Amino acid sequence: MEPDFGFKIVRRGYDRQQVAQTVSRLVEQRDEALRQAAELEHGSLPGPGSPSGEPPAGPSAAFEFVRRGYDRAQVDERVTELVRERDRALARLRTPRRH
């Protein structure tokens, strides 16, 4: 069963399984980068690591079009937002606050 992201299902939209995998991966990457940034800022980590150890997913993720898929505009907006949040967290890893 796929997670419910609140996207509208339309006649012709993005493949729901592909969207679920991409959005889940972006959320994990963002959360891991935020966790590492918070630990680094509090002196808990020796240095920045690579969140999830895999290349980050970007907004250019190509989804197949299917019948009864997720609304493209909603997905594009959410993926862009998640990428922006993740990139801000990764920037915090590269430039930790000084005490």
Side-chain angles (χ1 to χ4, degrees):
M1 183 172 169
E2 63 195 38
D4 178 20
F5 296 106
F7 299 128
K8 216 167 79 174
I9 295 177
V10 296
R11 282 189 206 191
R12 185 138 170 82
Y14 288 148
D15 181 275
R16 291 182 281 178
Q17 184 176 357
Q18 291 174 348
V19 169
Q21 290 171 348
T22 299
V23 170
S24 295
R25 187 171 62 249
L26 282 168
V27 168
E28 288 172 14
Q29 290 172 349
R30 180 205 58 198
D31 292 350
E32 179 64 14
L34 286 170
R35 184 192 62 76
Q36 287 183 10
E39 288 178 359
L40 182 62
E41 289 168 356
H42 290 98
S44 300
L45 286 177
S50 170
S52 79
E54 64 182 48
S60 61
F63 302 115
E64 292 179 28
F65 293 108
V66 296
R67 287 184 184 187
R68 305 229 359 105
Y70 285 138
D71 179 86
R72 294 177 282 181
Q74 288 181 330
V75 171
D76 290 343
E77 182 179 333
R78 182 66 179 136
V79 167
T80 300
E81 177 185 330
L82 284 169
V83 168
R84 198 173 312 130
E85 291 172 0
R86 184 212 50 213
D87 289 349
R88 276 197 299 261
L90 289 172
R92 286 176 53 194
L93 282 174
R94 290 188 288 274
T95 56
R97 293 182 191 158
R98 306 268 184 235
H99 292 294

